[in-house]
Amino acid sequence: MKRWRWVLGLFLAPTFLVNSGQAAQAAHIALSQDAPHQGQTVEVVVTMPSPEQKGEAQPTLDFNGSHYQLFAFGDGGVSKALIGIPADLEPGSYKLAVGSDSVPIRVQLGRFPLQHLSLPPAKDNFDMSKGEKQAVEGAKQTVSPERLWHGPFVKPSKARVSTGFGQKRVVNGRLLKDYYHSGMDFAGGAGSPIAAAAAGTVILTGRGFKLHGNCVAIDHGQGVITFYIHMKSIAVKKGDHVSAGEQIGTIGATGRANGPHLHFSVYVNQVATNPNDWFAHSF
C-alpha cells in the first residue's frame, strides 16, 4: 500500500492520501492526520470513483467498531466524515475502512495528568435525575446533515481553564476507575457569561438535573455537539439558532459541582474530544 502527501489544497493542515491499488475502482481516503493522540479529532475525506463506477449506495466509514456517516462535499464524488479518538482508546495501530478500502491510523498516548478533588458526600456520586441520561444521550446521538459551523470554535468563556480534557481524577482520596474528564472546565465567577462556541441549533435545555445541573446542548451539524454544563441561568430555548459568540446563559454551580464553573464538552459522533483541537483548527 502506498502513502504520499496530498497537495491538491483540500486542507491547510498536512494531509495523507492512500490509494488501495485496486485500479480505477479504489476509493481514495485522506486523513487530516494519520497519527492522532488520544482525544483528538480526525477529518476523513473520501474520493470515490466516477459516478458511473461508484454505484448508488454511499458507503459508510468504519473505525474501532463504530460506523460513521459520510457527507457529500462538492462535486467529484468527494465526501467527508469526522471521527473522535476516544481518550481511553489503547495506543497502537488501527484500521479505518471505507467499503473494501482501508488506511492505517496510529493512535498515540495523550499523556493526561491526574487531578485531586474534594466533594461533599451528597455530590460524591454520578447519580442522575429521572430522564436525565436519556435526554443527554439523545442529544449526543444527534446527526444532522449540514455543517453549521465555520472556522475554529471560539472559547465559551473568558475565564481561566481549571481542568483540562482527559484528566483522570482522585475524588475524596479514591481514584475513579474507567473515568476521564470529558471536557474542559472554565473557572468563571457565578453569573459570568457563557457563549456558544460556534453556530448551531439548540437541541437540549436541561434544568435542575442532578448530575449536569442546568445545561445546554448545541448541534453544529454532522455529528458535532457541544455541551455547556453546571449553568446558573439559560438564555436560549430548544430549537433556537445561535451564532458563534452569542451568549446562551451564565456560569453557575448546579448539579455535581464543587464551585462555580463551566464544564464545556465537544462530542464528535458521540465521542468526547479535546476542545483545544477545535479552538486551534478549522475542521
Side-chain angles (χ1 to χ4, degrees):
M1 183 179 291
K2 298 180 180 178
R3 183 176 66 189
W4 61 88
R5 290 189 180 277
W6 197 22
V7 293
L8 297 181
L10 284 179
F11 293 115
L12 295 178
T15 306
F16 299 88
L17 178 66
V18 177
N19 186 326
S20 69
Q22 297 178 7
Q25 296 295 326
H28 290 184
I29 307 171
L31 309 179
S32 57
Q33 54 179 328
D34 65 351
H37 289 84
Q38 294 166 317
Q40 289 194 307
T41 299
V42 177
E43 185 169 52
V44 183
V45 177
V46 178
T47 305
M48 298 299 295
S50 59
E52 62 270 20
Q53 294 175 320
K54 69 178 183 179
E56 296 181 359
Q58 176 87 319
T60 58
L61 186 155
D62 299 299
F63 171 72
N64 190 36
S66 296
H67 307 290
Y68 298 84
Q69 184 177 350
L70 287 160
F71 295 92
F73 184 81
D75 300 320
V78 176
S79 55
K80 293 184 179 182
L82 293 170
I83 62 170
I85 307 299
D88 56 357
L89 181 63
E90 281 293 318
S93 296
Y94 294 83
K95 182 174 72 173
L96 188 151
V98 177
S100 61
D101 301 298
S102 65
V103 296
I105 183 168
R106 181 169 58 87
V107 175
Q108 302 185 73
L109 189 66
R111 301 187 183 280
F112 305 119
L114 186 68
Q115 183 186 41
H116 292 259
L117 284 178
S118 295
L119 287 174
K123 292 190 176 184
D124 188 10
N125 58 70
F126 289 94
D127 294 344
M128 295 192 195
S129 305
K130 183 179 180 180
E132 180 176 355
K133 182 176 181 179
Q134 293 86 343
V136 171
E137 292 302 316
K140 291 177 185 177
Q141 294 168 13
T142 302
V143 181
S144 54
E146 183 182 359
R147 288 195 183 199
L148 301 176
W149 79 92
H150 303 282
F153 281 14
V154 300
K155 291 184 178 181
S157 170
K158 295 181 179 179
R160 70 178 178 87
V161 173
S162 56
T163 305
F165 172 85
Q167 290 189 357
K168 299 287 287 182
R169 277 180 169 169
V170 175
V171 177
N172 298 337
R174 184 183 76 256
L175 176 66
L176 300 182
K177 296 181 179 179
D178 302 320
Y179 169 89
Y180 65 87
H181 194 233
S182 61
M184 179 179 287
D185 287 350
F186 292 85
S192 56
I194 298 171
T201 303
V202 176
I203 55 173
L204 172 66
T205 54
R207 288 180 168 83
F209 285 160
K210 187 173 181 179
L211 179 61
H212 296 80
N214 299 331
C215 62
V216 167
I218 298 175
D219 171 25
H220 305 285
Q222 298 187 358
V224 180
I225 313 293
T226 54
F227 278 84
Y228 310 77
I229 297 172
H230 307 309
M231 300 169 72
K232 179 179 180 180
S233 64
I234 296 174
V236 291
K237 63 183 183 300
K238 187 175 180 179
D240 282 352
H241 296 277
V242 295
S243 302
E246 180 178 337
Q247 183 170 342
I248 60 171
T250 58
I251 288 178
T254 56
R256 186 180 185 266
N258 62 346
H261 72 282
L262 167 67
H263 175 98
F264 171 72
S265 294
V266 181
Y267 280 83
V268 176
N269 286 301
Q270 302 183 53
V271 175
T273 62
N274 195 334
N276 278 325
D277 262 9
W278 288 83
F279 298 147
H281 303 108
S282 177
F283 290 101

